[in-house]
Amino acid sequence: MWNYFEPEEARWYHWNLNGAAFYLRRDGNEWRAVVNSIVLPEATPLAGGPGTDPPPKELPGYFIAASNRKVILRPYFYEKPYYINFREKICLMPEAETRLNLALPPVLRLEAGELELIRFTPFLLSEAWTGDNPMSGSLCVSLPMGSPSSEFKEVSSFIHGELILRNPTKTVLAIDHLVLYTNSLNIYEKEGRLLCETAMVDTNGGEPRVNFLQGVPGGYGTITSAKKTGWGISLSAGIWI
């Protein structure tokens, strides 16, 4: 699914992206692509491809002129940070730790070598603003369902990982959302499953501090390298007394 392949001419190819879909056809130097994006509640456990199904006629398409023959579908993080709402507020007791599953919807690119043929988002996300005022803050993509949970564990088109939250203080810490910057995280792949590095967060007087468990996970290979332009994470946290 995440490997280079050379399509035959005049034949449609189809990727099942856990309910979303991507279709591709090459006729000489003319490429046609069709995207069927979905909202998060419509995600299903099934994914794979490329198969050879044609697209539904009602979907809009893209036309690309390129002389390349081999292409790859490659996952990336959003350039905007991910604003993740926790379904239930997380309450960390003093010196407590919790581990959460991360499942982040990707941006996908069809690439031919270094050339980007098309970029699309298979899962439709709304946006959210984080910051003290409209002049100081960040525009994020919003995950209103609370993606750090097991509900998207089987969605292999998502980028998975682990988030470790620690509270080394003597007070109780309550966290209701997380803003995750991913621009320095690699993406790894093994047998079709996508993985990123583990983020480890603890607090010092209510302020987050981030460390990462570096290194390629066992059996995985790097599929997308990070831009290495800085990585950050922030938490909205309240202290319960």
Side-chain angles (χ1 to χ4, degrees):
M1 181 168 169
W2 307 110
N3 300 313
Y4 272 100
F5 88 108
E6 184 173 351
E8 297 180 12
E9 286 201 37
R11 170 175 288 186
W12 280 103
Y13 289 85
H14 164 243
W15 284 259
N16 179 2
L17 302 168
N18 297 106
F22 177 66
Y23 301 86
L24 182 69
R25 173 180 171 136
R26 181 176 68 84
D27 296 280
N29 292 342
E30 297 179 354
W31 296 77
R32 287 175 171 80
V34 174
V35 177
N36 184 21
S37 300
I38 62 172
V39 293
L40 291 181
E42 297 177 354
T44 69
L46 300 178
T52 54
D53 299 324
K57 293 182 179 180
E58 67 272 13
L59 294 176
Y62 300 83
F63 175 84
I64 308 126
S67 60
N68 306 79
R69 294 296 180 261
K70 291 186 178 181
V71 292
I72 185 173
L73 199 61
R74 195 184 299 276
Y76 288 84
F77 291 107
Y78 279 77
E79 293 184 358
K80 297 184 180 74
Y82 293 82
Y83 186 103
I84 302 171
N85 288 302
F86 293 108
R87 178 172 288 108
E88 298 176 338
K89 184 177 290 185
I90 297 172
C91 180
L92 284 179
M93 295 295 107
E95 300 181 355
E97 174 183 306
T98 187
R99 293 171 179 260
L100 303 173
N101 294 319
L102 281 176
L104 303 175
V107 174
L108 298 183
R109 288 173 37 169
L110 183 73
E111 298 178 352
E114 298 297 322
L115 181 65
E116 175 185 322
L117 300 185
I118 185 174
R119 177 190 301 230
F120 65 96
T121 54
F123 304 97
L124 301 174
L125 303 177
S126 59
E127 295 182 335
W129 179 263
T130 180
D132 296 332
N133 56 69
M135 302 299 294
S136 176
S138 299
L139 186 63
C140 310
V141 290
S142 177
L143 303 181
M145 297 184 65
S147 287
S149 67
S150 59
E151 65 185 295
F152 295 119
K153 188 175 182 180
E154 301 304 321
V155 181
S156 57
S157 299
F158 281 21
I159 304 164
H160 297 269
E162 187 176 42
L163 174 68
I164 303 173
L165 298 175
R166 292 177 175 175
N167 180 14
T169 71
K170 300 298 182 182
T171 58
V172 179
L173 183 66
I175 304 165
D176 58 19
H177 77 269
L178 174 150
V179 179
L180 184 65
Y181 296 80
T182 55
N183 54 322
S184 287
L185 290 181
N186 294 321
I187 302 174
Y188 307 99
E189 184 269 339
K190 178 183 178 182
E191 298 178 353
R193 185 169 179 83
L194 303 175
L195 191 70
C196 64
E197 289 102 335
T198 295
M200 189 161 51
V201 184
D202 59 25
T203 59
N204 183 10
E207 294 298 324
R209 183 173 65 249
V210 184
N211 294 293
F212 305 101
L213 303 182
Q214 300 293 332
V216 180
Y220 281 77
T222 304
I223 188 171
T224 305
S225 297
K227 296 180 180 179
K228 302 302 181 188
T229 55
W231 199 99
I233 190 170
S234 63
L235 300 174
S236 174
I239 303 300
W240 291 358
I241 302 175

